[in-house]
Amino acid sequence: MSSTQTEQSTPRHVAVVGGGPAGLAAALAAAEAGARVTLIESSLELGGQYWRHLPKERDGEGQAAMHHGWSTFLDLDRRVRSHARITLLSETSVWAVGLPALELLTGTSDAADRVRSTLEPDAVVVATGAHDRTLPFPGWDLPGVYTGGAAQAFAKSERIAVGDTVVVAGAGPFLLPVAASLAQVGSKVVEVVEANRIPRLASGWLPKPWQLAGAPGKVQELFGYVAGQLRHRIPYRVGEAVVEAHGEGRVERVTIMSVDAQWRPIAGSEREVACDAVCVTHGFTPRLEVAIAAGCALDDSRFVVIDESCATSTSDVYAAGEVTGIGGVDLSLAEGRVAGHCAAGGASSDPQISTAQRKRAIFGSFAARIEAAHGVRPGWQAWLRDDTIVCRCEEVTAGQLRRKAAATRSHSLRSQKLSTRAGLGICQARICGRSAEELIETVLGRGLDEGIVDRRPIQTPIRLAELAGTSEEQHPLTGRQHP
Ligand SMILES: Cc1cc2nc3c(=O)[nH]c(=O)nc-3n(C[C@H](O)[C@H](O)[C@H](O)COP(=O)(O)OP(=O)(O)OC[C@H]3O[C@@H](n4cnc5c(N)ncnc54)[C@H](O)[C@@H]3O)c2cc1C
């Protein structure tokens, strides 16, 4: 890859992967610093997980109604689309990385006529975000069990309520916006159930309160959710978890139990709650495929390691947003701005990004607080039964995973996957992978070898014909065709 903007006459070409808050901010900052930018987003619309859209024909229903900072999104969207140095490739996925090349696939998801092309930028910003993580429990494969993110997506982009009577459960601040959105689209939210107890929540959120004062918008957002909970009379219970879903053909009720500080269920605390949907989320897990393929180092919690410039361990590869830690939209925006500016050849101390650097410091503390207060504890494995399905695609149970691990004592991730088939189905371990790994590691008493389940040589699904490179069309925007 080439040297910095200041040392060269032709503008540096920066590719930004991901059009969520971090990617939008990165693309604009890179263009403003003089770079030529290609923004690659697999969805049709920009905005990522946070700013989801009603279909265009339903614009009149008020896109802003269920969003915080919708005007910020409109401003970013307009500036990105109108900037002379930004080329937007929507409905385009990075499906493979062989630096400096990014392999792209453009077209409607899984359509037969997608176009393959290759981009060779000078620098890359990885802003691929995260998806929500749900721990398995008996009955979680029943219709009517949703992730919080899915419920949120239905509410924001379709105004559909996933149920009439809904329990929201898991861990983390995300439970609050999920409950708020459900109430807005007409569900009765029976209760919100947070697995962590008061001492742990306090140990994450109470230290250094002045840092929270530096983020008045977040505090206001939190008060908004609390007011909404009170208005809709939604109880918020702590130290409890949904440990089973029951029903004939779909969810009719859930069992909730008190859990200890490690999330082990406490015998005798069972209670049943009637509902027709349950939304369960235990935090987020980063979308790492592109970062791993680019060789970026990860920390112990599996987030991409970045420095003050948002540079990763791979030369000319930067990262921003939830791939680097779960800190919320403000941190994603600030990191995106720094990453874009520095990928374009700027320095981390430049005055153009001093505000973003200050915000990184403020909102960076949120990621640490969220992990300290709400991070997954190992006791969840105690609410599984032997026949609880962990890998839903291949229908592999907790008992099968544990027995194979005990019988083989193999520390090879690959061999455990091949002998159980866990993680080999259509989702490629995106849903079950970390849970399956943790179950096997508990049996083995140590970590698995050969990397982690997020290492996927092909980053997004591609048809065999596309892989064989039979497409004869040229990419409409890059003008290049794969050989
Ligand atoms: C399901 C879900 C719902 C959420 N809802 C809320 C909420 O209501 N309120 C809240 O405060 N926070 C919410 N969050 C957290 C929120 O996502 C973040 O705070 C913020 O959106 C993170 O921004 P980001 O740019 O890092 O990632 P994202 O917003 O996730 O954006 C990443 C983008 O990268 C694209 N992408 C990924 N891989 C590729 C690839 N290979 N090629 C091309 N494009 C790719 C994705 O399509 C996506 O648009 C939610 C998170 C999730 C996972």
Side-chain angles (χ1 to χ4, degrees), residues 86 96 154 298 353 454 476:
I86 300 179
F154 277 125
L298 308 180
I353 53 168
D454 306 83

Side-chain angles (χ1 to χ4, degrees), residues 284-304:
F284 295 106
T285 186
R287 289 180 67 170
L288 290 170
E289 296 94 340
V290 172
I292 290 177
C296 304
L298 308 180
D299 65 18
D300 290 343
S301 309
R302 298 194 182 176
F303 291 107
V304 178

Side-chain angles (χ1 to χ4, degrees), residues 16-24 40-43 45-52 66-68 89 91-96 104 126-133 147-150 152-153 156 173-174 177-178 181 218 221 225 283-285 287 289-290 320-333 335 459-460:
V16 178
V17 188
L24 287 169
I40 304 154
E41 166 55 49
S42 48
S43 305
E45 299 287 354
L46 295 172
Q49 301 282 9
Y50 191 68
W51 289 308
R52 285 177 171 274
M66 300 190 67
H67 286 284
H68 287 95
L89 303 181
E91 289 197 301
T92 300
S93 294
V94 172
W95 67 270
L104 312 181
V126 181
T128 47
H131 55 83
D132 50 353
R133 181 175 178 199
T147 67
Q152 184 77 330
K156 279 185 175 177
F174 183 50
V178 172
S181 300
K218 275 282 159 219
E221 192 179 324
Y225 292 134
F284 295 106
T285 186
R287 289 180 67 170
E289 296 94 340
V290 172
E322 306 234 295
V323 275
T324 74
I326 306 301
V329 66
D330 299 285
L331 183 60
S332 294
L333 287 168
E335 281 185 355
Q459 279 95 64
T460 54

Side-chain angles (χ1 to χ4, degrees), residues 197-273:
R197 293 163 163 258
I198 297 285
R200 185 163 181 226
L201 297 175
S203 74
W205 288 106
L206 291 189
K208 303 184 184 166
W210 59 90
Q211 287 179 340
L212 296 177
K218 275 282 159 219
V219 176
Q220 200 183 350
E221 192 179 324
L222 176 68
F223 279 129
Y225 292 134
V226 173
Q229 295 251 142
L230 293 173
R231 195 167 57 252
H232 292 285
R233 299 212 172 95
I234 305 172
Y236 181 81
R237 299 183 191 275
V238 297
E240 293 189 317
V242 166
V243 296
E244 185 161 8
H246 317 262
E248 287 299 319
R250 65 164 296 119
V251 174
E252 291 163 7
R253 59 193 195 287
V254 290
T255 299
I256 295 175
M257 289 181 80
S258 297
V259 292
D260 67 15
Q262 295 302 316
W263 297 12
R264 280 182 296 258
I266 297 170
S269 64
E270 297 86 347
R271 61 188 176 90
E272 288 203 350
V273 176

